[in-house]
Each structure stands twice: as C-alpha cells, then as structure tokens.
Amino acid sequence: MDILERMRRGELIRLDDPEYPVIEELITRAFRITGELNAGYHDAAETRAVMSELTGELIDETTWIVPPFYTDFGRFTRFGRNAFVNCGCGCPQRRIFPEGTVATRKEDGYGLGYRHRQFSA
C-alpha cells in the first residue's frame, strides 16, 4: 500500500518515511495551485478547473467556490453537488506533531476531525 493510501486510511505517517517525498511534492503542488488561484480573478468555471487540478477530481458545475481558498495538501478534499465554498475557506489536511508524525484528517462520523488524537513521544 502506498503512502497516499496509508494517509487516506488515517495512518500516522512519519516525516522520515521513505515515501514522504511524495507528500512533499503534493504539498508544494498545492501551494503552487492555490497561490495561482488566489493571485488573480477567475470566473466560476476557471475556479472549478483549478480546484479539479488540486483535488484530482472533477468539480461539478453546480459547485460554487469563491477564492481565496487555502489548503496544505488538497488531494483528499472533495466537494459535493451544489456546494458553496465562501471566500477565505481553509481546508487543512495534515498535522505534524513534535515527534515527527503526520496525522491526516478523516471523517469520523461526527464531523471532520483528527482520527488519531493521542500520541506518545
């Protein structure tokens, strides 16, 4: 199972994981894409196209996203039909703990929260 699948499943990922460069590349990519999105005017269709590039999923034409939009990863962000995302929305998807572990956000049935809440150094 690759590092993205492990992240999707909510596993803890260490910064020294041999596959972590994949994550670093996607983080850099997310910053580039959101930087371009947030730096100028884009109509609704252009915004959906940019966000589709960020998420790797086609954004439905009924979804309205008003930039600026912020994320530290973006690959696991999903938007449903008829969704409205207001300006200034932030969608963090990773959290790095002092011991060099990365936790990803995962749907827990009660809202979006960190799947792993207790850590030991």
Side-chain angles (χ1 to χ4, degrees):
M1 170 178 352
D2 72 6
I3 195 166
L4 292 177
E5 183 57 31
R6 290 186 290 139
M7 283 184 74
R8 188 181 308 279
R9 294 175 62 145
E11 290 184 26
L12 297 178
I13 306 295
R14 294 192 53 83
L15 296 175
D16 60 0
D17 187 293
E19 291 186 279
Y20 196 76
V22 171
I23 303 304
E24 287 179 316
E25 183 179 319
L26 289 170
I27 293 166
T28 301
R29 181 178 174 275
F31 290 160
R32 178 187 54 78
I33 291 169
T34 56
E36 291 171 4
L37 174 70
N38 297 338
Y41 172 78
H42 303 278
D43 66 27
E46 292 168 335
T47 299
R48 284 191 302 273
V50 171
M51 294 300 287
S52 292
E53 179 185 354
L54 175 69
T55 64
E57 299 282 329
L58 183 64
I59 306 295
D60 190 84
E61 66 181 19
T62 63
T63 299
W64 183 17
I65 302 168
V66 182
F69 179 85
Y70 305 97
T71 187
D72 63 350
F73 189 66
R75 180 54 63 103
F76 301 144
T77 304
R78 298 293 177 261
F79 301 98
R81 290 178 49 77
N82 297 307
F84 173 74
V85 180
N86 208 351
C87 62
C89 178
C91 234
Q93 294 184 312
R94 303 170 311 108
R95 182 173 176 194
I96 300 176
F97 294 89
E99 62 273 12
T101 303
V102 177
T104 58
R105 296 179 70 111
K106 183 176 174 105
E107 188 65 41
D108 61 13
Y110 299 98
L112 199 57
Y114 288 103
R115 182 165 186 229
H116 298 277
R117 298 174 198 264
Q118 295 180 358
F119 301 90
S120 59

